[in-house]
Short mmCIF file of all heavy atoms in Angstrom, two decimals:
data_model
loop_
_atom_site.label_atom_id
_atom_site.label_comp_id
_atom_site.label_asym_id
_atom_site.label_seq_id
_atom_site.Cartn_x
_atom_site.Cartn_y
_atom_site.Cartn_z
N ARG A 68 0.86 -1.20 -0.01
CA ARG A 68 0.00 0.00 -0.04
C ARG A 68 0.87 1.25 0.04
O ARG A 68 1.95 1.27 0.63
CB ARG A 68 -0.88 -0.04 1.26
CG ARG A 68 -2.24 0.62 0.99
CD ARG A 68 -3.10 0.72 2.28
NE ARG A 68 -2.99 -0.30 3.22
CZ ARG A 68 -3.98 -1.18 3.53
NH1 ARG A 68 -5.06 -1.13 2.84
NH2 ARG A 68 -3.80 -2.09 4.43
N TRP A 69 0.49 2.31 -0.68
CA TRP A 69 1.35 3.49 -0.80
C TRP A 69 1.54 4.10 0.55
O TRP A 69 2.62 4.75 0.75
CB TRP A 69 0.65 4.53 -1.72
CG TRP A 69 1.63 5.52 -2.23
CD1 TRP A 69 1.80 6.79 -1.75
CD2 TRP A 69 2.61 5.42 -3.25
NE1 TRP A 69 2.78 7.42 -2.39
CE2 TRP A 69 3.37 6.63 -3.35
CE3 TRP A 69 2.96 4.31 -4.07
CZ2 TRP A 69 4.37 6.78 -4.27
CZ3 TRP A 69 3.99 4.56 -4.96
CH2 TRP A 69 4.70 5.76 -5.06
N SER A 70 0.75 3.90 1.52
CA SER A 70 0.88 4.42 2.88
C SER A 70 2.08 3.77 3.59
O SER A 70 2.58 4.26 4.58
CB SER A 70 -0.33 4.24 3.67
OG SER A 70 -0.69 2.87 3.78
N GLY A 71 2.54 2.59 3.07
CA GLY A 71 3.71 1.97 3.65
C GLY A 71 3.47 0.65 4.32
O GLY A 71 4.41 -0.01 4.69
N ASP A 72 2.26 0.31 4.55
CA ASP A 72 1.99 -0.94 5.26
C ASP A 72 1.56 -2.02 4.22
O ASP A 72 1.45 -1.74 3.04
CB ASP A 72 0.92 -0.74 6.29
CG ASP A 72 -0.38 -0.23 5.69
OD1 ASP A 72 -0.44 0.07 4.49
OD2 ASP A 72 -1.44 -0.19 6.38
N LEU A 73 1.42 -3.13 4.74
CA LEU A 73 0.97 -4.28 3.85
C LEU A 73 1.94 -4.50 2.72
O LEU A 73 1.62 -4.20 1.52
CB LEU A 73 -0.42 -4.15 3.31
CG LEU A 73 -1.04 -5.37 2.61
CD1 LEU A 73 -1.20 -6.51 3.57
CD2 LEU A 73 -2.40 -5.02 2.01
N THR A 74 3.14 -4.93 3.01
CA THR A 74 4.18 -5.11 1.95
C THR A 74 4.40 -6.55 1.67
O THR A 74 4.23 -7.42 2.48
CB THR A 74 5.55 -4.46 2.40
OG1 THR A 74 5.85 -5.00 3.62
CG2 THR A 74 5.42 -2.94 2.49
N TYR A 75 4.77 -6.83 0.35
CA TYR A 75 5.06 -8.12 -0.06
C TYR A 75 6.43 -8.05 -0.77
O TYR A 75 6.80 -7.01 -1.38
CB TYR A 75 4.04 -8.63 -1.11
CG TYR A 75 2.62 -8.77 -0.59
CD1 TYR A 75 1.67 -7.95 -0.96
CD2 TYR A 75 2.29 -9.86 0.19
CE1 TYR A 75 0.34 -8.08 -0.60
CE2 TYR A 75 1.00 -10.07 0.60
CZ TYR A 75 0.07 -9.15 0.28
OH TYR A 75 -1.23 -9.34 0.67
N PHE A 76 7.15 -9.10 -0.69
CA PHE A 76 8.47 -9.19 -1.36
C PHE A 76 8.66 -10.51 -2.07
O PHE A 76 8.13 -11.57 -1.58
CB PHE A 76 9.59 -9.08 -0.30
CG PHE A 76 9.65 -7.74 0.37
CD1 PHE A 76 8.97 -7.54 1.53
CD2 PHE A 76 10.42 -6.71 -0.17
CE1 PHE A 76 8.97 -6.28 2.22
CE2 PHE A 76 10.43 -5.48 0.42
CZ PHE A 76 9.74 -5.23 1.66
N ALA A 77 9.30 -10.52 -3.21
CA ALA A 77 9.67 -11.72 -3.89
C ALA A 77 10.58 -12.55 -3.07
O ALA A 77 11.37 -11.98 -2.26
CB ALA A 77 10.28 -11.42 -5.27
N ASP A 78 10.47 -13.84 -3.10
CA ASP A 78 11.31 -14.70 -2.33
C ASP A 78 12.80 -14.42 -2.55
O ASP A 78 13.59 -14.55 -1.64
CB ASP A 78 11.00 -16.20 -2.64
CG ASP A 78 9.70 -16.69 -2.10
OD1 ASP A 78 9.10 -15.93 -1.21
OD2 ASP A 78 9.15 -17.67 -2.60
N SER A 79 13.17 -14.05 -3.76
CA SER A 79 14.53 -13.80 -4.09
C SER A 79 15.15 -12.61 -3.40
O SER A 79 16.42 -12.49 -3.27
CB SER A 79 14.65 -13.66 -5.58
OG SER A 79 13.92 -12.57 -6.05
N VAL A 80 14.31 -11.70 -2.84
CA VAL A 80 14.86 -10.47 -2.25
C VAL A 80 14.44 -10.42 -0.74
O VAL A 80 14.84 -9.52 -0.04
CB VAL A 80 14.40 -9.21 -2.97
CG1 VAL A 80 14.80 -9.30 -4.41
CG2 VAL A 80 12.93 -8.99 -2.76
N LYS A 81 13.54 -11.29 -0.30
CA LYS A 81 13.07 -11.25 1.08
C LYS A 81 14.21 -11.34 2.03
O LYS A 81 15.18 -12.14 1.91
CB LYS A 81 12.11 -12.45 1.28
CG LYS A 81 11.15 -12.27 2.42
CD LYS A 81 10.09 -13.39 2.35
CE LYS A 81 9.22 -13.26 1.16
NZ LYS A 81 8.12 -14.31 1.13
N GLY A 82 14.21 -10.47 3.00
CA GLY A 82 15.24 -10.37 4.02
C GLY A 82 16.36 -9.47 3.63
O GLY A 82 17.21 -9.15 4.50
N ARG A 83 16.48 -9.08 2.39
CA ARG A 83 17.57 -8.22 1.89
C ARG A 83 17.02 -6.84 1.50
O ARG A 83 17.71 -5.84 1.61
CB ARG A 83 18.27 -8.82 0.68
CG ARG A 83 18.93 -10.19 1.03
CD ARG A 83 19.76 -10.67 -0.15
NE ARG A 83 18.99 -10.95 -1.36
CZ ARG A 83 19.22 -10.30 -2.54
NH1 ARG A 83 20.19 -9.41 -2.68
NH2 ARG A 83 18.49 -10.61 -3.60
N PHE A 84 15.83 -6.82 0.99
CA PHE A 84 15.21 -5.54 0.48
C PHE A 84 14.14 -5.12 1.46
O PHE A 84 13.46 -5.89 2.11
CB PHE A 84 14.58 -5.72 -0.91
CG PHE A 84 15.53 -5.90 -2.03
CD1 PHE A 84 16.92 -6.23 -1.80
CD2 PHE A 84 15.18 -5.86 -3.34
CE1 PHE A 84 17.85 -6.42 -2.80
CE2 PHE A 84 16.04 -6.05 -4.38
CZ PHE A 84 17.37 -6.30 -4.11
N ALA A 85 13.93 -3.78 1.50
CA ALA A 85 12.87 -3.22 2.34
C ALA A 85 12.20 -2.06 1.68
O ALA A 85 12.92 -1.33 0.88
CB ALA A 85 13.41 -2.84 3.74
N ILE A 86 11.01 -1.76 2.01
CA ILE A 86 10.30 -0.60 1.49
C ILE A 86 10.09 0.36 2.57
O ILE A 86 9.74 0.02 3.75
CB ILE A 86 8.95 -0.99 0.92
CG1 ILE A 86 9.13 -1.76 -0.40
CG2 ILE A 86 8.10 0.32 0.56
CD1 ILE A 86 7.80 -2.30 -0.95
N SER A 87 10.38 1.70 2.31
CA SER A 87 10.07 2.72 3.30
C SER A 87 9.50 3.92 2.61
O SER A 87 9.41 3.93 1.40
CB SER A 87 11.38 3.11 4.03
OG SER A 87 12.27 3.66 3.14
N ARG A 88 9.04 4.88 3.34
CA ARG A 88 8.28 6.00 2.81
C ARG A 88 8.61 7.26 3.52
O ARG A 88 8.77 7.26 4.78
CB ARG A 88 6.81 5.69 2.90
CG ARG A 88 5.92 6.86 2.51
CD ARG A 88 4.45 6.46 2.70
NE ARG A 88 3.56 7.63 2.66
CZ ARG A 88 3.12 8.10 1.52
NH1 ARG A 88 3.41 7.54 0.39
NH2 ARG A 88 2.30 9.18 1.56
N ASP A 89 8.79 8.33 2.81
CA ASP A 89 8.95 9.66 3.40
C ASP A 89 7.59 10.42 3.12
O ASP A 89 7.35 10.84 1.98
CB ASP A 89 10.14 10.43 2.75
CG ASP A 89 10.39 11.75 3.36
OD1 ASP A 89 9.41 12.41 3.80
OD2 ASP A 89 11.53 12.22 3.30
N ASN A 90 6.82 10.55 4.17
CA ASN A 90 5.55 11.17 4.00
C ASN A 90 5.56 12.60 3.52
O ASN A 90 4.72 13.08 2.76
CB ASN A 90 4.71 11.12 5.28
CG ASN A 90 4.31 9.66 5.59
OD1 ASN A 90 3.97 8.89 4.69
ND2 ASN A 90 4.29 9.34 6.89
N ALA A 91 6.54 13.37 4.03
CA ALA A 91 6.71 14.77 3.68
C ALA A 91 6.99 14.96 2.13
O ALA A 91 6.52 15.91 1.58
CB ALA A 91 7.83 15.36 4.46
N LYS A 92 7.69 13.98 1.57
CA LYS A 92 8.03 14.06 0.18
C LYS A 92 7.14 13.16 -0.71
O LYS A 92 7.27 13.16 -1.86
CB LYS A 92 9.46 13.63 -0.04
CG LYS A 92 10.54 14.52 0.65
CD LYS A 92 11.94 13.99 0.37
CE LYS A 92 12.95 14.89 1.07
NZ LYS A 92 14.42 14.41 0.85
N ASN A 93 6.26 12.41 0.00
CA ASN A 93 5.39 11.43 -0.69
C ASN A 93 6.22 10.54 -1.60
O ASN A 93 5.80 10.26 -2.75
CB ASN A 93 4.31 12.19 -1.53
CG ASN A 93 3.17 11.31 -1.93
OD1 ASN A 93 2.89 10.33 -1.23
ND2 ASN A 93 2.53 11.53 -3.09
N THR A 94 7.37 10.15 -1.15
CA THR A 94 8.31 9.31 -1.88
C THR A 94 8.43 8.00 -1.21
O THR A 94 8.48 7.92 -0.01
CB THR A 94 9.67 10.04 -1.95
OG1 THR A 94 9.53 11.29 -2.71
CG2 THR A 94 10.70 9.19 -2.66
N VAL A 95 8.50 6.98 -2.06
CA VAL A 95 8.74 5.58 -1.54
C VAL A 95 10.13 5.13 -1.97
O VAL A 95 10.64 5.52 -3.04
CB VAL A 95 7.68 4.66 -2.22
CG1 VAL A 95 7.99 3.20 -1.88
CG2 VAL A 95 6.29 5.00 -1.67
N TYR A 96 10.77 4.46 -1.07
CA TYR A 96 12.13 3.98 -1.31
C TYR A 96 12.21 2.43 -1.31
O TYR A 96 11.46 1.78 -0.57
CB TYR A 96 13.03 4.49 -0.15
CG TYR A 96 13.05 6.00 -0.03
CD1 TYR A 96 12.19 6.66 0.90
CD2 TYR A 96 13.82 6.76 -0.89
CE1 TYR A 96 12.19 8.01 0.96
CE2 TYR A 96 13.85 8.14 -0.79
CZ TYR A 96 13.02 8.75 0.15
OH TYR A 96 12.99 10.10 0.26
N LEU A 97 13.12 1.92 -2.07
CA LEU A 97 13.39 0.45 -2.07
C LEU A 97 14.87 0.42 -1.55
O LEU A 97 15.81 0.69 -2.31
CB LEU A 97 13.25 -0.17 -3.39
CG LEU A 97 13.60 -1.66 -3.42
CD1 LEU A 97 12.51 -2.44 -2.71
CD2 LEU A 97 13.60 -2.18 -4.93
N GLN A 98 15.01 -0.02 -0.31
CA GLN A 98 16.33 -0.20 0.25
C GLN A 98 16.87 -1.60 -0.10
O GLN A 98 16.18 -2.57 0.22
CB GLN A 98 16.36 -0.01 1.79
CG GLN A 98 17.64 -0.25 2.43
CD GLN A 98 18.74 0.80 2.07
OE1 GLN A 98 18.37 1.98 2.04
NE2 GLN A 98 19.90 0.35 1.80
N MET A 99 17.95 -1.70 -0.79
CA MET A 99 18.43 -2.98 -1.26
C MET A 99 19.83 -3.23 -0.56
O MET A 99 20.79 -2.48 -0.83
CB MET A 99 18.64 -2.97 -2.77
CG MET A 99 17.36 -2.60 -3.48
SD MET A 99 17.54 -2.73 -5.33
CE MET A 99 18.77 -1.49 -5.62
N ASN A 100 19.88 -4.27 0.23
CA ASN A 100 21.09 -4.64 0.97
C ASN A 100 21.58 -6.00 0.52
O ASN A 100 20.85 -6.77 -0.17
CB ASN A 100 20.79 -4.64 2.48
CG ASN A 100 20.36 -3.31 3.04
OD1 ASN A 100 20.78 -2.23 2.55
ND2 ASN A 100 19.42 -3.39 3.95
N SER A 101 22.86 -6.28 0.85
CA SER A 101 23.37 -7.61 0.44
C SER A 101 23.19 -7.91 -1.00
O SER A 101 22.78 -8.99 -1.34
CB SER A 101 22.84 -8.69 1.38
OG SER A 101 23.06 -8.38 2.77
N LEU A 102 23.46 -6.96 -1.86
CA LEU A 102 23.15 -7.12 -3.24
C LEU A 102 24.02 -8.25 -3.85
O LEU A 102 25.19 -8.44 -3.48
CB LEU A 102 23.42 -5.77 -3.99
CG LEU A 102 22.23 -4.80 -3.79
CD1 LEU A 102 22.70 -3.41 -4.15
CD2 LEU A 102 21.03 -5.23 -4.63
N LYS A 103 23.42 -8.92 -4.80
CA LYS A 103 24.10 -9.97 -5.54
C LYS A 103 24.17 -9.67 -7.04
O LYS A 103 23.37 -8.91 -7.55
CB LYS A 103 23.34 -11.28 -5.36
CG LYS A 103 23.04 -11.68 -3.92
CD LYS A 103 22.15 -12.86 -3.80
CE LYS A 103 21.83 -13.25 -2.41
NZ LYS A 103 20.88 -14.45 -2.25
N PRO A 104 25.07 -10.26 -7.72
CA PRO A 104 25.17 -10.03 -9.18
C PRO A 104 23.82 -10.35 -9.92
O PRO A 104 23.49 -9.66 -10.90
CB PRO A 104 26.27 -10.92 -9.68
CG PRO A 104 27.17 -11.09 -8.50
CD PRO A 104 26.27 -11.06 -7.30
N GLU A 105 23.12 -11.30 -9.38
CA GLU A 105 21.82 -11.64 -10.06
C GLU A 105 20.75 -10.58 -9.80
O GLU A 105 19.66 -10.67 -10.35
CB GLU A 105 21.32 -13.01 -9.57
CG GLU A 105 21.34 -13.18 -8.06
CD GLU A 105 22.55 -13.94 -7.60
OE1 GLU A 105 23.68 -13.60 -8.06
OE2 GLU A 105 22.42 -14.82 -6.69
N ASP A 106 21.03 -9.57 -8.99
CA ASP A 106 20.09 -8.46 -8.81
C ASP A 106 20.26 -7.39 -9.89
O ASP A 106 19.46 -6.46 -9.94
CB ASP A 106 20.33 -7.79 -7.44
CG ASP A 106 20.00 -8.72 -6.24
OD1 ASP A 106 18.93 -9.44 -6.33
OD2 ASP A 106 20.71 -8.67 -5.26
N THR A 107 21.26 -7.58 -10.76
CA THR A 107 21.48 -6.69 -11.82
C THR A 107 20.32 -6.59 -12.77
O THR A 107 19.83 -7.65 -13.30
CB THR A 107 22.78 -7.04 -12.61
OG1 THR A 107 23.88 -6.86 -11.75
CG2 THR A 107 22.97 -6.12 -13.80
N ALA A 108 19.74 -5.43 -12.97
CA ALA A 108 18.58 -5.20 -13.84
C ALA A 108 18.23 -3.75 -13.88
O ALA A 108 18.80 -2.93 -13.15
CB ALA A 108 17.37 -6.04 -13.29
N VAL A 109 17.31 -3.47 -14.79
CA VAL A 109 16.64 -2.16 -14.68
C VAL A 109 15.49 -2.25 -13.77
O VAL A 109 14.67 -3.18 -13.87
CB VAL A 109 16.15 -1.70 -16.10
CG1 VAL A 109 15.42 -0.37 -16.03
CG2 VAL A 109 17.33 -1.58 -17.09
N TYR A 110 15.40 -1.40 -12.82
CA TYR A 110 14.34 -1.39 -11.77
C TYR A 110 13.34 -0.34 -12.07
O TYR A 110 13.66 0.79 -12.43
CB TYR A 110 14.95 -1.17 -10.40
CG TYR A 110 15.69 -2.40 -9.81
CD1 TYR A 110 16.88 -2.82 -10.41
CD2 TYR A 110 15.13 -3.13 -8.79
CE1 TYR A 110 17.47 -3.96 -9.88
CE2 TYR A 110 15.72 -4.25 -8.28
CZ TYR A 110 16.89 -4.67 -8.85
OH TYR A 110 17.50 -5.81 -8.35
N TYR A 111 12.07 -0.76 -11.99
CA TYR A 111 10.93 0.11 -12.33
C TYR A 111 10.03 0.24 -11.10
O TYR A 111 9.70 -0.66 -10.40
CB TYR A 111 10.09 -0.47 -13.47
CG TYR A 111 10.82 -0.62 -14.79
CD1 TYR A 111 11.52 -1.75 -15.06
CD2 TYR A 111 10.76 0.40 -15.69
CE1 TYR A 111 12.21 -1.88 -16.32
CE2 TYR A 111 11.47 0.34 -16.92
CZ TYR A 111 12.14 -0.84 -17.20
OH TYR A 111 12.80 -0.90 -18.39
#
């Protein structure tokens, strides 16, 4: 949900990626940690 709750993650990124939100900027972030070569892609 755009408000930041009720999140789902693909199994391939679960535990490594997280979603957060800056309400003041109405911006959503995808924090990607422990990146692997197989994460290489264009992200949309």
Side-chain angles (χ1 to χ4, degrees):
R68 210 184 329 246
W69 197 259
S70 60
D72 59 352
L73 189 64
T74 54
Y75 297 107
F76 295 89
D78 288 342
S79 59
V80 306
K81 202 170 293 183
R83 300 187 297 121
F84 290 13
I86 291 177
S87 62
R88 171 184 169 84
D89 183 330
N90 289 325
K92 298 180 180 179
N93 197 28
T94 296
V95 172
Y96 302 97
L97 181 68
Q98 178 67 44
M99 306 186 295
N100 300 324
S101 302
L102 283 163
K103 305 175 181 179
E105 50 263 44
D106 294 319
T107 295
V109 177
Y110 282 70
Y111 296 90

